[in-house]
């Protein structure tokens, strides 16, 4: 097993005490309050609340933190609370994790904010929800400088709706290709390290090479992904459509449908090629993220389309000799979550300050080191580490006991080893899903109408495209 670079040891307690001493020194010197990135410009100055803010807890509603119990999001909030405690500001932040799937969380947030039944001050929104929540006046416009030039341009685009910043990128996401390096070596593949020049035709040839040799007993098919009837099917379809149709735009800037049958036909043909039985694990058609990850971890496939958060998980199972990661061939969908201030909040100014802290340079570096895809370019750059994570301790272990060495291959700066050369370029090239206040209707239509592609009696590409086009014209304005 290859020896992996390790980040310098620093216990959580020591690092948090260091942060606290910095805050004390800033107060003693009379220096002006600053955000995490040292920039307090725009909106309410960091360290002070708006005049009409009510002191108390700023409640942050979010989905599950993939970095584990007491994960990096909670650690960052704890660090902000330490600072506020020292300043005796009267404000604290509290993280509330919502149960259920992403669709269920969206429904919970919509219901709570529309009915004013839950006192959420900040909500962590999937990037596809921002237009919907902004159009419904459920979230507030934010200072424009919260989305500065350091944020990766493709990611920054998710913050805006109709010329205003509504939700600041917190953590990003993009489709990646995980692969079994040991399987490719066993099949005699000349280049078992997959590069950024891999195409889908090239991937098919690699699968054919695997199938022609004596494969491991667990191996069944070339690759797996998420094709069950939920958002995963939409993501895979948009990736195929965007790869087949350059500069594909299914909606305009106002969320109106602009697609046509010819574009949809090309996209469906590409999706069909990617999911052919000869190359795709049959269970992929009923798989979500967890199921596809499990199938790959069990050795049933050599390739897996998944998100950056699973880099840490997979290296708990495989060594560097066994596992590799590469950009997804073709176009990959951008995911992630953005932080927004709710319209019902009584602490809007201080909530915006909290967002400034959580999305600043140092916090983003902490998110990257813990396993999320950071939203800022500075988190990835600098051979010596640049803006190191010093606000919190090392990311939590995924083991039940919290014990064990960090399994993640890291660079000299403590970042996941693939972050700068694979993850950052993938984020820069990623494509958005359609940005529309009616995204729920879009994805439901897409998921449902593409279902016959994975069943018996499959219609032709042209026929299925015609059905999809009619359905999208009924679901969206055009």
């Amino acid at each position: 097993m290859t020896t992996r670079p390790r980040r310098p040891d620093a216990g959580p307690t020591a690092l948090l005490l260091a942060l606290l001493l910095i805050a004390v020194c800033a107060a003693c010197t009379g220096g002006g309050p600053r955000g995490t990135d040292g920039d307090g410009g725009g909106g309410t100055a960091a360290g002070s609340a708006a005049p009409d803010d009510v002191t108390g807890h700023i409640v942050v509603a979010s989905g599950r933190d993939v970095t584990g119990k007491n994960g990096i999001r909670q650690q960052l909030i704890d660090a902000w609370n330490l600072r506020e405690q020292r300043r005796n500001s009267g404000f604290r932040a509290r993280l509330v994790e919502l149960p259920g799937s992403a669709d269920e969380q969206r429904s919970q947030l919509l219901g709570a904010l529309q009915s004013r039944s839950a006192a959420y001050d900040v909500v962590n929104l999937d990037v596809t929800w921002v237009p919907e929540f902004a159009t419904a006046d459920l979230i507030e416009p934010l200072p424009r400088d919260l989305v500065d030039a350091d944020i990766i341009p493709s990611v920054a685009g998710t913050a805006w709706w109709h010329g205003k910043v509504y939700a600041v990128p917190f953590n990003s996401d993009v489709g990646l290709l995980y692969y079994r390096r040991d399987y490719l070596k066993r099949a005699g593949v000349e280049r078992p390290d997959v590069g950024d020049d891999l195409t889908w035709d090239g991937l098919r040839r690699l699968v054919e090479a695997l199938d022609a040799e004596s494969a491991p007993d667990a191996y069944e098919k070339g690759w797996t992904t998420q094709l069950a009837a939920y958002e995963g099917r939409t993501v895979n379809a948009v990736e195929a459509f965007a790869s087949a149709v350059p500069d594909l735009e299914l909606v305009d800037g106002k969320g109106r449908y602009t697609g046509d049958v010819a574009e949809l036909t090309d996209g469906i043909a590409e999706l069909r090629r990617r999911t052919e039985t000869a190359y795709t694990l049959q269970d992929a058609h009923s798989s979500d993220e967890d199921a596809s990850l499990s199938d790959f971890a069990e050795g049933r496939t050599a390739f897996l389309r998944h998100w950056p958060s699973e880099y840490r998980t997979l290296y708990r199972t495989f060594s560097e000799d066994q596992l590799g990661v590469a950009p997804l061939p073709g176009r990959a969908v951008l995911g992630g979550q953005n932080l927004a201030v709710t319209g019902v909040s009584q602490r809007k100014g201080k909530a915006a300050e909290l967002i400034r802290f959580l999305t600043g340079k140092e916090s983003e570096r902490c998110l990257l080191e813990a396993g999320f895809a950071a939203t800022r370019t500075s988190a990835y750059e600098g051979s010596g580490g640049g803006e190191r994570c010093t606000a919190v301790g090392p990311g939590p272990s995924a083991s039940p006991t919290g014990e064990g060495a960090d399994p993640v291959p890291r660079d000299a700066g403590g970042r996941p080893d693939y972050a700068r050369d694979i993850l950052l370029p993938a984020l820069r090239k990623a494509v958005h899903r359609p940005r529309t206040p009616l995204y729920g209707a879009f994805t439901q239509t897409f998921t449902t109408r593409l279902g016959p592609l994975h069943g018996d009696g499959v219609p032709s590409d042209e026929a299925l495209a015609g059905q999809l086009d009619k359905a999208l014209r009924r679901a969206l304005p055009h």
Side-chain angles (χ1 to χ4, degrees), residues 248-251 256-264 469 473:
L248 175 69
E249 296 286 348
L250 291 177
V251 298
R256 296 175 298 197
Y257 176 62
T258 57
D260 60 46
V261 173
E263 291 177 333
L264 298 181
D469 180 68
R473 291 181 184 280

Side-chain angles (χ1 to χ4, degrees), residues 60-365:
V60 182
S62 177
R64 181 177 65 90
D65 187 336
V66 297
T67 62
K69 186 178 180 181
N70 191 36
I72 188 61
R73 291 172 178 166
Q74 182 63 60
Q75 293 178 52
L76 288 171
I77 285 177
D78 289 344
W80 189 81
N81 284 340
L82 274 175
R83 187 186 75 171
E84 294 305 303
Q85 181 181 8
R86 175 55 56 181
R87 292 175 176 177
N88 197 27
S89 69
F91 292 95
R92 300 290 186 274
R94 179 165 61 89
L95 179 64
V96 175
E97 290 196 355
L98 303 176
S101 66
D103 289 340
E104 291 168 336
Q105 291 164 14
R106 169 181 165 272
S107 297
Q108 291 175 62
L109 288 175
L110 283 172
L113 297 183
Q114 289 169 343
S115 67
R116 296 175 173 259
S117 61
Y120 297 144
D121 298 285
V122 175
V123 286
N124 195 20
L125 302 178
D126 188 277
V127 293
T128 61
W129 305 346
V130 174
E132 177 181 17
F133 280 69
T135 301
D137 292 325
L138 299 177
I139 54 178
E140 294 285 305
L142 293 167
R144 297 166 69 95
D145 75 319
L146 284 172
V147 181
D148 58 35
D150 186 38
I151 297 180
I152 300 164
S154 60
V155 177
T158 66
W160 299 80
W161 186 245
H162 288 180
K164 296 179 181 179
V165 170
Y166 278 97
V168 185
F170 187 27
N171 57 265
S172 197
D173 240 345
V174 66
L176 298 172
L177 185 70
Y178 293 94
Y179 64 95
R180 291 292 299 272
R181 185 180 280 122
D182 56 337
Y183 279 17
L184 297 181
K185 289 179 179 177
R186 178 169 176 164
V189 173
E190 186 175 344
R191 287 181 52 197
D193 293 318
V194 173
D196 59 7
D197 58 345
L198 181 68
T199 64
W200 279 99
D201 284 342
L203 189 148
R204 288 158 66 102
R205 288 193 291 272
L206 289 175
V207 173
E208 289 167 357
L210 284 166
D211 292 343
E213 298 296 326
S214 176
D217 291 341
Y219 176 80
E220 295 180 34
K221 291 288 183 178
W223 86 298
T224 191
T225 187
Q226 306 82 36
L227 297 173
Y230 81 114
E231 185 65 17
R233 182 183 294 173
T234 295
V235 166
N236 277 264
V238 170
E239 288 174 340
F241 281 41
S243 299
V245 183
D247 302 319
L248 175 69
E249 296 286 348
L250 291 177
V251 298
D252 64 15
K254 295 183 178 180
R256 296 175 298 197
Y257 176 62
T258 57
D260 60 46
V261 173
E263 291 177 333
L264 298 181
T265 300
D266 289 344
I268 288 171
E270 175 63 17
L271 182 60
R272 188 193 299 272
R273 283 192 292 270
R274 293 186 179 195
T275 57
E276 285 179 343
T277 303
Y279 304 94
T280 309
L281 188 71
Q282 181 61 36
D283 285 350
H285 300 289
S286 58
S287 287
D288 59 10
E289 277 92 346
D290 289 344
S292 59
L293 181 68
S294 177
D295 286 335
F296 179 76
E298 291 171 4
R300 298 179 68 194
T301 70
F303 297 94
L304 167 71
R305 182 247 175 255
H306 222 296
W307 304 105
S309 57
E310 302 311 330
Y311 183 83
R312 179 186 179 94
T313 303
L314 287 169
Y315 272 108
R316 292 191 176 281
T317 301
F318 300 111
S319 70
E320 291 181 71
D321 288 335
Q322 295 174 303
L323 181 69
V325 61
L328 193 69
R331 305 305 300 273
V333 155
L334 185 75
Q337 290 81 42
N338 293 9
L339 294 172
V341 175
T342 67
V344 301
S345 175
Q346 295 181 307
R347 304 167 184 88
K348 293 183 175 65
K350 200 68 176 180
E353 179 199 324
L354 172 63
I355 290 176
R356 186 181 296 276
F357 177 91
L358 293 175
T359 60
K361 289 183 178 180
E362 186 182 321
S363 294
E364 287 300 322
R365 183 56 182 265

